[in-house]
Structure formats: C-alpha cells, structure tokens
Amino acid sequence: MKALLSVDVEDWFQVENLKQAINRESWPRYESRVEKNIYLILKILDERNTKATFFVLGWIAEKHPGLIKQIYSQGHEIACHGYNHELVYSLSSDKFYEDVSSAKNLLEDIIGDRIIGYRAPNFSITDSAIEILSSLDFKYDSSLFPIILHNRYGKLKNFPVKNASVFEIKKNFFQVELSYYELLNLKLPWAGGFYFRFIPYYIFNKGINSILNKKDYYLFYIHPWEFDPWQPRIKNIKLNYRLRHYTNLHKTEYKFKRLLQDFRFSPIRDIIPPIKENLKL
Ligand SMILES: [Zn+2]
C-alpha cells in the first residue's frame, strides 16, 4: 500500500501551540483526555480494518501503560515520540539522547517488542538527532517536513534529501517524509493536522491522489486531541496558535472516516525494507 497512516499520541495540554499558557511543570494539573480520544480512533480504525503507526510520548506511556498495550494488541505499530515533547533543536545532544532513550526503553518494556520508529515533536528534527537515533537502533525517522513556510519545523543539512518520500538516509536507517502538495513553486503541507481540518475534504482528497500519482508514498498524521471539540479552551495564547489548535475540531471524526473509506492505509513499519524479520526482542 502506498498510503501510510500515523497518530501522534499526546494529550491536548502538551502541544506547542498552547505552551505560552501551559508549561511542562503544570501538565499533571490538567484533565487527561487522551485515553477516550485514542479509544475513538481505535474504534474507527477497527471498523475500517486499518492498521496505523502510533508515535507515543513517553510521558503518556508512563501514565497510561494499559492504553499502549491495547493499541499494540490490536495490531498497530508502536513508535516513539520522545519523552517530554520538547523541540529537538532546543535540546543538547545529551538531553536529546536522554529524552529519546528513556522513552524507547519504557515503550519496549510495556509492549515487549522492539521500537524502530521515531517522530520529533513538531517535526523539529536535526542532523545530530539522526545520528543519535541510528545509534539507539531505531530504523527510521518520520520527522522531515520539507516546508520552508513553517519556521518551527526542523531541517536536515548534512544528509542527502532525495526526491522520494521514503529513502535510506544512512546505512540501515530510513527517512519517511511528511507529505506536501506542490503548487507553483510552493510546497503546501498536505499530511494532516491543522491543514486536514481546515481544507475542505474533497480538495484534500484530490491533493492526496495527485501526490500518490507522483510520489512513492503518501504519509498522513493526526492527533487524538483533534477528535475532541469538547476539550478545555485556553484563551491567553496568540490568535494564530489558537486558530491552529481549535479550527474545525468538530469535523475531524467525519473527515477521518471519509479518508479511511477512500484510501487503504498501512503502518510505516510495513514498508521499511531491512526489518521485516526478527522484530521480536
Ligand atoms: Zn507531538
């Protein structure tokens, strides 16, 4: 299958757009809604007999190990989204190593299987992070979003970025790019999140078909809090952050169901060549 599906497992109060109002220390004070929202996603996936990759935040896994086991037991891939959801380029190499290795170990302990995939919070990947991920025995990173317009996304300078969505960025280590739609000279993010909620579904669908005609793969991502229009509203943040977070939350479930009807998706693990065998720890 050429369409890949991913879910970034984090709670509504952990996102970068709300960081102005909610700092890391205050997370335990907020109502956790991730379980309810993940169960909704699992139900929708089950109805469509679709498997996905779940990039799980270590902080969530520690609080909800049963949830992670449930996702895994339904045949989905568990991958790593770091521990504390900090922008990778804001961390020293040592801190990044600590963040990602503690999350990986925790997830492997919970599911008793190997974790091979990583996604950086807000796609904030760097060259040195790729080296560290490869040294920790990850087999792929799915954080590269080659969009210049968005200043929060990370960049890779030292690795060859090829005209393919999935490519071997170093020996036995793959990059799985987030999808974009090329219009004139612009690359528009076309992989999910805010853009999926904002753009009318039939246009988004046309864009995916056009990407699938040109590229080797299409990669979609979504968050559990995007399915939750009833989440608490945080007001004291910048208007554009508020728009990014809250636009069309009530439409996600309907649009996501249509997406799964129109395309057949698979988890990322299924298309990474060298690790199809010997996956068990
Ligand atoms: Zn995230």
Side-chain angles (χ1 to χ4, degrees):
M1 270 173 269
K2 290 177 66 183
L4 307 171
L5 184 59
S6 62
V7 181
D8 291 357
V9 182
E10 63 206 34
D11 225 322
W12 64 274
F13 50 80
Q14 299 176 309
V15 305
E16 194 65 24
N17 286 330
L18 305 185
K19 221 175 204 171
Q20 273 185 316
I22 302 177
N23 61 30
R24 166 72 180 75
E25 288 66 40
S26 64
W27 285 358
R29 292 211 306 267
Y30 290 92
E31 179 202 357
S32 175
R33 302 175 66 90
V34 68
E35 277 194 301
K36 180 178 80 62
N37 296 325
I38 287 290
Y39 282 125
L40 172 63
I41 294 174
L42 288 177
K43 184 168 157 280
I44 298 169
L45 293 177
D46 194 44
E47 281 163 7
R48 304 301 316 174
N49 199 18
T50 298
K51 306 295 178 209
T53 297
F54 286 72
F55 291 96
V56 179
L57 198 64
W59 196 91
I60 293 289
E62 195 173 350
K63 300 269 183 302
H64 307 279
L67 178 68
I68 312 312
K69 279 185 192 149
Q70 181 66 34
I71 301 170
Y72 179 74
S73 73
Q74 289 187 219
H76 302 287
E77 176 185 7
I78 301 293
C80 179
H81 195 35
Y83 196 93
N84 277 320
H85 212 265
E86 285 176 286
L87 297 170
V88 172
Y89 46 69
S90 72
L91 298 173
S92 66
S93 293
D94 286 353
K95 285 271 181 228
F96 175 70
Y97 183 95
E98 203 183 300
D99 180 271
V100 76
S101 60
S102 61
K104 184 174 191 271
N105 291 338
L106 175 66
L107 291 168
E108 289 181 338
D109 282 351
I110 290 172
I111 63 168
D113 198 352
R114 245 181 101 180
I115 302 291
I116 60 161
Y118 173 78
R119 173 167 294 152
N122 289 84
F123 313 109
S124 57
I125 195 67
T126 65
D127 291 299
S128 60
I130 295 286
E131 297 291 357
I132 291 169
L133 292 168
S134 155
S135 78
L136 283 168
D137 225 14
F138 282 94
K139 295 298 174 199
Y140 72 86
D141 167 63
S142 178
S143 312
L144 188 61
F145 214 154
I147 308 286
I148 306 152
L149 282 174
H150 201 304
N151 57 8
R152 212 186 270 151
Y153 298 161
K155 292 177 184 61
L156 295 180
K157 300 191 184 92
N158 302 333
F159 292 99
V161 174
K162 298 186 182 148
N163 192 25
S165 349
V166 179
F167 53 93
E168 200 168 10
I169 196 166
K170 57 180 292 175
K171 198 167 167 27
N172 287 325
F173 190 89
F174 288 78
Q175 179 56 239
V176 186
E177 267 185 13
L178 280 300
S179 296
Y180 53 87
Y181 180 73
E182 288 186 272
L183 183 68
L184 307 171
N185 277 334
L186 277 182
K187 289 177 176 176
L188 304 173
W190 215 267
F194 163 77
Y195 303 91
F196 177 63
R197 284 180 278 129
F198 178 67
I199 298 166
Y201 178 75
Y202 72 97
I203 298 176
F204 202 85
N205 174 305
K206 273 189 195 307
I208 296 177
N209 276 309
S210 146
I211 293 165
L212 281 169
N213 283 334
K214 283 190 220 146
K215 291 271 197 164
D216 46 349
Y217 290 102
Y218 172 74
L219 172 58
F220 184 85
Y221 75 95
I222 198 94
H223 302 91
W225 54 264
E226 294 186 84
F227 289 79
D228 186 6
W230 302 278
Q231 66 189 273
R233 300 272 161 158
I234 301 295
K235 298 215 167 55
N236 51 338
I237 47 169
K238 279 190 199 163
L239 179 64
N240 68 332
Y241 291 170
R242 213 156 66 211
L243 286 175
R244 274 179 172 274
H245 191 84
Y246 295 117
T247 295
N248 287 348
L249 292 175
H250 62 290
K251 291 187 178 169
T252 309
E253 183 177 343
Y254 166 74
K255 285 179 152 186
F256 186 65
K257 284 178 174 168
R258 286 191 68 182
L259 183 79
L260 296 193
Q261 248 165 34
D262 294 343
F263 300 94
R264 285 300 296 159
F265 284 96
S266 64
I268 297 172
R269 171 180 250 173
D270 286 9
I271 56 123
I272 302 294
I275 43 83
K276 281 184 176 162
E277 293 156 22
N278 305 324
L279 284 176
K280 291 279 170 193
L281 276 176

